[in-house]
Amino acid sequence: MKKSTQTFVTDIEAIRRRAREHIRRGAVTPDYQGDLDLSLKLLNEALATEIVCVLRYTGHAFLAEGIHAESVRTEFKKHAAEEQVHALRLAARIKQLGGYANFHPEGLLTRSHAEFTEGETLVALIEENLIAERIAVESYRELVRYFEKTDPTSRRLIESILQQEEEHAEEMASLLLTLNPEQRPVNPDRESAA
Ligand SMILES: [Fe+2]
Ligand SMILES: [Fe+2]
């Protein structure tokens, strides 16, 4: 009992000593177990993906035409606003880790996982956004696994964004089904199970 208490006190003293070193590094303490450069690169790629998603949804809101355009436009604008919040939260985390949140348009599409695509019809626009959401879902799941053991704060941030991307994907799939009941949303598992 006494031994474990002593170890704990020693640890606290070590933490206090380390906290005084490199204080300009803010939230980044020496026990950060991840590869900080790689973490910042991955977070900046996620940031670029979100910026591209803001641009794509916003552009699509103005491309949407036809009898169902109003409800689709409303949904696109709502998603654009939510993607912007994701971008800001990622940028804040990058800054917290002492990195540079890259909003520069140069190289944006190279850094982004999702593409900037357009479409000729309302259905094509929704399909493009559903594809982009599915890309986001898969890459955020990978990021959750990357941050799992090394950076719990980034992991929680990515998990909460992932949750909203899954909602976005489901909303796009429902919209697609509403406009085009004969076309089932992309879901290979359901197709193979059928
Ligand atoms: Fe997003
Ligand atoms: Fe999204």
Side-chain angles (χ1 to χ4, degrees):
M1 184 71 185
K2 196 180 174 196
K3 190 168 179 272
S4 66
T5 310
Q6 276 175 345
T7 309
F8 187 69
V9 170
T10 308
D11 286 346
I12 290 289
E13 281 168 359
I15 288 169
R16 284 180 179 163
R17 181 175 38 76
R18 286 200 301 269
R20 289 182 177 278
E21 296 168 0
H22 312 293
I23 55 168
R24 285 180 191 276
R25 297 190 74 194
V28 184
T29 51
D31 71 323
Y32 185 86
Q33 290 177 346
D35 175 339
L36 189 57
D37 288 343
L38 180 60
S39 299
L40 290 169
K41 179 180 178 285
L42 295 172
L43 289 169
N44 260 311
E45 286 174 6
L47 172 60
T49 304
E50 295 295 349
I51 298 169
V52 168
C53 289
V54 173
L55 295 173
R56 196 192 54 256
Y57 271 123
T58 307
H60 285 196
F62 289 93
L63 284 177
E65 278 178 11
I67 192 164
H68 299 292
E70 199 48 49
S71 59
V72 174
R73 199 177 293 131
T74 304
E75 197 73 6
F76 285 174
K77 283 184 181 171
K78 176 176 148 282
H79 283 202
E82 288 168 348
E83 308 299 11
Q84 189 175 356
V85 173
H86 297 169
L88 296 178
R89 292 179 72 196
L90 286 162
R93 181 60 184 154
I94 291 167
K95 189 163 189 296
Q96 211 168 47
L97 289 173
Y100 162 70
N102 192 353
F103 283 85
H104 206 296
E106 197 175 295
L108 186 65
L109 283 171
T110 314
R111 295 193 301 278
S112 166
H113 299 152
E115 296 170 292
F116 186 94
T117 45
E118 293 181 327
E120 296 291 319
T121 64
L122 217 45
V123 166
L125 293 176
I126 299 165
E127 276 178 347
E128 288 306 323
N129 287 301
L130 174 55
I131 290 165
E133 293 294 351
R134 286 168 58 84
I135 291 169
V137 165
E138 204 170 321
S139 41
Y140 279 129
R141 275 208 202 109
E142 210 174 302
L143 270 190
V144 168
R145 286 194 290 274
Y146 169 76
F147 285 121
E148 185 113 56
K149 294 205 171 68
T150 55
D151 185 341
T153 307
S154 295
R155 192 209 71 219
R156 280 199 302 277
L157 167 65
I158 299 295
E159 277 176 350
S160 77
I161 297 177
L162 169 64
Q163 185 181 351
Q164 197 155 44
E165 306 303 5
E166 288 179 345
E167 288 167 14
H168 287 174
E170 197 274 325
E171 282 160 7
M172 286 297 110
S174 302
L175 213 49
L176 198 57
L177 207 56
T178 310
L179 292 190
N180 200 354
E182 286 177 18
Q183 186 180 349
R184 285 169 38 191
V186 184
N187 190 337
D189 293 341
R190 262 184 66 186
E191 276 160 23
S192 62

